[in-house]
C-alpha cells in the first residue's frame, strides 16, 4: 500500500490492555503514514456488530493520563519521525447537552477540522470474522468522517494483521474491569517551558495539561534571558515559530480550551499574578520551580497552585554526551554537522572545488575543525596566514596602509608593525573600516588564487578558514557557510588561557565580533567544540560524510547541493 502524508489512528482496545499494544500499533502505522499521525481514543469501540457506532465522551481517568504518556514514549522509540498528536475533543468529565437537544453525549456535533486533514484512517480493532473485513472498514470510514474533516474517499485500514504477537494478552478469559479512577480537573491550568522543536516530552506535558484543564490553558514560553543558559541556545527556534507550532498543536488536540501563549522572560511569568489559576503542571525536574511559584503567589496574596507532577520520558536513543531524558538540548546536539538550511544560489561559482566557508568566534575551535577537515581530504585555505601576506613589502595593501596610516608604522626592516597599526584602529570604528577596506579585498584575491590552484590540481573540496568570513562579505566565494560555536563563558576561559588576556579583555574581544546567533543565522551547518575532542571529531566526520553525499554528481553531471539532511 502507498504511503500517506497524514493519518488518524482510532484506538479501540480497553485501557487495561492497550499499553502492550501501543508500540506494535504505532510501528504498523508508521509503515503507512510518513508525516502526521493523529490518535483518537475510543476504548471498547465495536466496529463489527453491524450497527454504525458514534463517538462518545470518555471521562478523564488516571489510566488515560498514563496511556498518553505511554503513547508519546513509544512513539519516540519506534516512529520518532512522525508528528504524533493525541486528540482529546471526546475526553470530558461531565458533557453538557449538545445544542440544546436531548443528545447529551455528542463530542462532535460537526466534524472537527484538523491542521492536516487525514488521508487514511487506521485502527487496532481486532476482527473476529475475516468475512466482516469490508463491513468493518466501511464502518470505520464513516466513524472517522463524522468526527473529523477528512480527505475525500478516505481509505480505512485494519492494522491487526501486523499485530500478531500482541494478541495473546487478549486471548482467554478476561478479568472484570475495575472502575477507572477519575482524574481531578481544573478550570485554569498553566505550564512553562522552552518548547523548542516539539518532542514527545513536550507533547506529553501539553496533552496532560489539556486533560487537566476544563476552561483555560496558559502556556509560558521561555524567551530572551530565560534562554541564556540553554545548551546550544543559538539553535533554539525563534519564539514566534515555537508559539505558532504550539497554537496549531493545541488547537488540534483540544479546540474547546481558551489557550493563551505568552513569552516567559523570568522564572515566574503570569503564574504568580493570575488569581484564577488553579494548577501548574511540572515534572520531577521542575517541581522546585513550581514550589517557588507558590511561594511568590502566597507573597502576592494569591492561593497556591496544585502541583501536578508528570514523569520524564526516557530517551532510548541518547548518546553518552546527551541527557537520559527526551530533551530539546539533545535534539539540538543531533543537528550539529547536519545541513540546517540549503545553500543559496551558487550558480556563479564553479562546481569544483566545492568551497566550505568555515567561521566562528574567537576561541570557538574553528581552526581545529579546519585541520580535521584537511585531514579528511579538504584543501585548507588559512585566511589568517593570507592576512600576513598582504602586509608584505611592495604589495598593493602595504603601500595603501602606509599612505592611510603613516610611515611611522614601519619597523627598521621596513615591515609594517602590526601591533602599532592595531593601536591606531583599536576602538575607532571609522579607522578600522579604513583598514579593512584596504586589506579584505586583497585577501579575497589571494583566496581566489588558492581556489583556482586547487581546481587546476583536481581537488574536490576547499575549506576557507576565515574568522571574518561574514563581516568581509566572503560568503559570496563559498558554496556553504559552516559556523563553530561555544558559549561565551567558555570562549572567555579559552581566550584567557591561550592568549594570556584577563577575562575582561577576552570578553571585550568577543563583544567586538559578530555574536554566535548572528553567525548561525547565516549558517548552513553548525558545529560545536564544547565537549571532548572525540565528540568534535565525530561531529566533523558526520558533517564531512553528509557533505560527500550532497556533492555527488547527478547522472547528468550537475552537483546536488540543495537537499537538507
Amino acid at each position: 500500500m502507498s504511503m500517506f502524508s497524514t493519518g488518524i489512528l482510532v484506538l479501540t482496545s480497553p485501557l487495561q490492555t492497550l499499553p502492550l499494544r501501543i508500540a506494535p500499533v504505532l510501528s504498523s502505522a508508521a509503515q503507512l503514514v510518513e508525516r502526521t499521525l493523529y490518535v483518537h481514543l475510543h476504548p471498547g469501540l465495536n466496529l463489527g456488530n453491524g450497527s454504525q457506532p458514534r463517538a462518545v465522551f470518555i471521562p478523564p481517568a488516571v489510566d488515560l493520563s498514563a496511556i498518553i504518556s505511554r503513547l508519546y514514549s513509544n512513539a519516540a522509540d519506534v516512529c520518532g519521525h512522525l508528528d504524533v498528536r493525541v486528540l482529546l475533543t471526546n475526553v470530558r468529565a461531565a458533557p453538557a447537552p449538545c445544542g440544546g437537544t436531548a443528545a447529551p453525549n455528542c463530542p462532535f456535533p460537526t466534524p472537527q477540522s484538523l491542521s492536516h486533514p487525514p488521508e487514511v484512517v487506521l485502527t487496532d480493532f481486532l476482527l473476529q470474522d475475516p468475512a466482516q473485513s469490508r463491513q468493518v472498514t466501511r464502518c470505520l470510514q464513516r466513524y472517522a468522517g463524522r468526527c473529523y474533516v477528512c480527505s475525500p474517499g478516505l481509505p480505512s485500514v485494519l492494522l491487526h494483521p501486523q499485530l500478531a504477537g500482541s494478541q495473546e494478552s487478549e486471548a482467554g478469559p478476561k478479568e472484570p474491569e475495575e472502575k477507572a479512577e477519575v482524574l481531578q480537573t481544573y478550570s485554569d491550568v498553566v505550564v512553562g517551558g522552552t518548547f523548542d522543536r516539539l518532542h514527545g516530552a513536550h507533547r506529553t506535558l501539553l496533552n496532560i495539561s489539556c486533560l487537566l484543564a476544563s476552561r483555560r490553558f496558559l502556556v509560558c514560553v521561555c524567551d530572551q534571558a530565560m534562554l541564556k543558559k540553554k545548551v546550544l541556545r543559538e539553535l533554539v527556534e525563534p519564539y514566534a515559530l515555537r508559539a505558532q507550532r504550539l497554537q496549531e498543536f493545541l488547537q488540534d488536540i483540544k479546540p474547546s480550551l481558551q489557550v493563551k501563549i505568552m513569552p516567559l522572560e523570568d522564572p515566574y511569568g503570569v503564574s504568580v499574578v493570575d488569581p484564577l489559576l488553579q494548577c501548574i503542571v511540572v515534572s520531577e525536574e521542575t517541581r522546585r520551580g513550581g514550589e517557588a511559584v507558590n511561594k511568590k503567589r502566597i507573597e502576592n496574596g494569591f492561593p497556591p497552585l496544585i502541583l501536578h507532577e508528570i514523569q520524564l520520558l526516557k530517551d532510548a536513543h541518547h548518546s553518552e554526551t546527551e541527557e537520559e531524558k527526551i530533551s530539546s538540548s539533545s535534539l539540538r546536539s543531533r543537528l550539529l554537522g547536519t545541513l540546517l538550511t540549503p545553500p543559496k544560489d551558487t550558480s556563479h561559482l564553479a562546481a569544483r572545488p566545492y568551497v566550505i566557508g568555515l567561521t566562528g568566534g574567537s576561541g570557538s575551535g574553528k581552526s581545529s575543525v579546519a585541520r580535521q577537515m584537511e585531514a579528511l581530504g579538504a584543501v585548507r585555505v588559512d585566511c589568517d596566514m593570507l592576512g600576513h601576506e598582504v602586509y608584505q613589502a611592495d604589495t598593493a595593501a602595504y603601500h595603501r596602509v602606509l599612505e592611510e596610516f603613516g610611515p611611522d608604522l614601519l619597523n627598521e626592516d621596513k615591515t609594517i608593525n602590526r601591533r602599532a597599526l592595531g593601536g591606531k584602529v583599536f576602538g575607532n570604528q571609522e579607522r578600522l573600516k579604513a583598514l579593512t577596506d584596504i586589506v579584505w579585498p586583497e585577501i579575497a584575491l589571494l583566496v581566489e588564487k588558492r581556489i583556482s590552484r586547487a581546481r587546476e590540481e583536481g581537488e574536490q573540496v576547499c575549506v576557507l578558514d576565515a574568522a571574518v568570513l561574514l563581516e568581509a562579505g566572503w560568503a559570496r566565494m563559498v558554496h556553504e557557510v559552516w559556523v563553530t560555536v561555544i558559549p561565551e563563558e567558555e570562549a572567555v576561559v579559552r581566550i584567557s588561557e591561550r592568549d594570556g588576556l584577563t577575562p575582561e579583555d577576552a570578553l571585550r574581544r568577543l563583544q567586538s565580533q559578530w555574536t554566535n546567533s548572528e553567525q548561525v543565522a547565516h549558517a548552513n551547518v553548525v558545529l560545536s567544540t564544547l565537549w571532548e575532542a572525540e565528540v568534535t571529531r565525530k561531529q566533523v566526520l558526520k558533517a564531512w560524510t553528509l557533505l560527500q553525499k550532497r556533492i555527488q554528481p547527478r547522472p547528468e553531471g550537475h552537483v546536488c547541493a540543495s537537499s537538507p539532511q
Side-chain angles (χ1 to χ4, degrees):
M1 183 175 287
S2 60
M3 291 288 285
F4 301 91
S5 175
T6 305
I8 187 160
L9 171 62
V10 178
L11 293 178
T12 66
S13 298
L15 294 184
Q16 290 77 7
T17 58
L18 184 55
L20 293 177
R21 296 173 58 79
I22 290 174
V25 167
L26 289 175
S27 182
S28 295
Q31 297 174 33
L32 297 171
V33 178
E34 56 188 355
R35 192 181 68 171
T36 304
L37 180 66
Y38 292 106
V39 179
H40 173 92
L41 294 162
H42 190 149
L45 175 65
N46 189 344
L47 296 168
N49 65 0
S51 63
Q52 181 61 49
R54 294 179 178 272
V56 296
F57 281 107
I58 58 176
V62 172
D63 285 351
L64 188 59
S65 175
I67 289 292
I68 289 171
S69 295
R70 183 74 170 258
L71 268 162
Y72 284 119
S73 179
N74 285 168
D77 291 346
V78 303
C79 55
H81 65 288
L82 281 182
D83 173 6
V84 176
R85 307 183 183 193
V86 181
L87 303 172
L88 299 176
T89 302
N90 63 323
V91 179
R92 197 161 78 188
C98 194
T101 70
N105 207 15
C106 52
F108 301 96
T110 59
Q112 176 186 339
S113 293
L114 298 169
S115 300
H116 310 283
E119 299 171 0
V120 63
V121 57
L122 317 166
T123 187
D124 67 335
F125 180 75
L126 289 174
L127 194 64
Q128 302 300 322
D129 181 359
Q132 289 185 307
S133 176
R134 195 167 182 179
Q135 171 193 322
V136 168
T137 54
R138 283 201 303 265
C139 187
L140 174 64
Q141 182 185 41
R142 288 195 295 268
Y143 176 88
R146 289 176 177 176
C147 296
Y148 305 100
V149 176
C150 301
S151 297
L154 182 74
S156 53
V157 179
L158 307 182
L159 294 178
H160 67 271
Q162 289 81 32
L163 299 177
S166 70
Q167 298 180 24
E168 289 84 349
S169 62
E170 298 187 24
K174 296 181 180 179
E175 295 288 332
E177 294 183 5
E178 296 181 5
K179 189 174 182 180
E181 181 184 353
V182 176
L183 187 70
Q184 175 67 53
T185 60
Y186 308 90
S187 64
D188 297 68
V189 175
V190 65
V191 72
T194 308
F195 301 107
D196 180 37
R197 296 176 172 84
L198 283 181
H199 51 64
H202 290 145
R203 293 163 191 265
T204 302
L205 177 65
L206 294 166
N207 257 101
I208 291 178
S209 297
C210 287
L211 197 62
L212 295 169
S214 60
R215 185 180 76 94
R216 192 171 60 124
F217 181 33
L218 306 186
V219 187
C220 301
V221 182
C222 293
D223 196 26
Q224 304 298 332
M226 292 298 290
L227 297 177
K228 191 170 184 180
K229 293 185 179 180
K230 298 293 182 183
V231 176
L232 297 171
R233 65 187 179 93
E234 300 84 6
L235 296 181
V236 174
E237 294 172 318
Y239 170 82
L241 179 58
R242 287 178 284 143
Q244 175 191 330
R245 289 180 174 168
L246 278 168
Q247 186 68 51
E248 179 191 295
F249 180 82
L250 295 171
Q251 178 65 26
D252 273 347
I253 66 173
K254 195 169 181 179
S256 62
L257 278 182
Q258 299 174 31
V259 172
K260 186 172 183 181
I261 299 167
M262 61 197 77
L264 181 65
E265 298 178 1
D266 64 66
Y268 305 108
V270 72
S271 63
V272 298
V273 296
D274 189 323
L276 299 179
L277 290 174
Q278 295 181 335
C279 173
I280 183 170
V281 185
V282 298
S283 68
E284 55 195 89
E285 189 179 67
T286 61
R287 185 177 184 89
R288 289 180 63 185
E291 292 169 350
V293 163
N294 275 342
K295 185 177 178 182
K296 278 282 187 184
R297 283 182 69 86
I298 293 170
E299 290 175 4
N300 292 341
F302 299 127
L305 303 176
I306 299 296
L307 301 185
H308 184 95
E309 183 177 320
I310 64 171
Q311 289 188 331
L312 297 169
L313 298 191
K314 298 294 185 182
D315 186 349
H317 307 291
H318 74 91
S319 70
E320 58 186 29
T321 62
E322 295 173 346
E323 297 178 278
E324 290 186 2
K325 65 171 186 174
I326 294 177
S327 72
S328 296
S329 59
S330 294
L331 295 182
R332 289 193 294 274
S333 71
R334 292 170 198 172
L335 293 174
L336 296 172
T338 67
L339 192 65
L340 300 178
T341 57
K344 295 179 181 177
D345 179 24
T346 55
S347 56
H348 62 287
L349 299 175
R352 290 292 186 272
Y354 197 82
V355 184
I356 302 298
L358 179 63
T359 191
S362 186
S364 66
K366 166 183 60 65
S367 294
S368 170
V369 169
R371 287 190 291 271
Q372 292 184 53
M373 293 179 68
E374 184 177 27
L376 289 168
V379 174
R380 181 186 175 205
V381 180
D382 186 340
C383 290
D384 189 51
M385 293 295 294
L386 296 183
H388 287 283
E389 287 187 29
V390 301
Y391 285 106
Q392 289 179 359
D394 295 328
T395 62
Y398 175 89
H399 292 295
R400 290 184 61 196
V401 167
L402 292 180
E403 288 175 12
E404 181 70 33
F405 295 96
D408 58 319
L409 291 175
L410 289 177
N411 295 312
E412 291 183 4
D413 61 359
K414 301 300 183 183
T415 59
I416 290 176
N417 184 326
R418 295 184 66 182
R419 182 180 293 273
L421 178 59
K424 290 197 174 192
V425 301
F426 181 77
N428 187 324
Q429 290 299 314
E430 184 179 338
R431 299 304 285 154
L432 178 60
K433 185 177 186 306
L435 177 61
T436 57
D437 284 349
I438 294 170
V439 174
W440 285 351
E442 296 299 321
I443 296 176
L445 291 174
L446 294 179
V447 167
E448 289 172 347
K449 288 180 181 179
R450 296 294 192 277
I451 294 173
S452 294
R453 183 192 306 167
R455 184 178 305 113
E456 292 167 3
E457 294 172 353
E459 300 290 352
Q460 296 298 299
V461 178
C462 276
V463 56
L464 187 57
D465 181 355
V468 295
L469 177 83
L470 300 171
E471 298 95 313
W474 297 340
R476 62 180 173 77
M477 296 191 292
V478 306
H479 295 86
E480 293 180 20
V481 174
W482 292 16
V483 173
T484 56
V485 297
I486 57 170
E488 184 179 84
E489 54 271 23
E490 174 67 16
V492 167
V493 171
R494 292 186 185 183
I495 296 168
S496 299
E497 292 177 351
R498 183 190 67 193
D499 300 338
L501 298 179
T502 65
E504 293 75 18
D505 286 341
L507 182 59
R508 274 192 287 272
R509 178 185 293 182
L510 284 172
Q511 291 173 341
S512 70
Q513 303 171 357
W514 280 28
T515 65
N516 284 346
S517 295
E518 287 172 328
Q519 296 191 68
V520 167
H522 294 267
N524 302 109
V525 173
V526 174
L527 301 159
S528 178
T529 64
L530 177 60
W531 301 279
E532 293 82 2
E534 178 60 16
V535 176
T536 302
R537 189 192 69 79
K538 289 179 179 178
Q539 272 183 49
V540 175
L541 182 59
K542 173 184 176 181
W544 180 261
T545 302
L546 293 174
L547 172 65
Q548 298 307 306
K549 293 178 181 178
R550 287 200 295 279
I551 67 176
Q552 289 301 317
R554 293 177 180 176
E556 62 269 25
H558 295 298
V559 174
C560 178
S562 59
S563 300
Q565 286 86 22

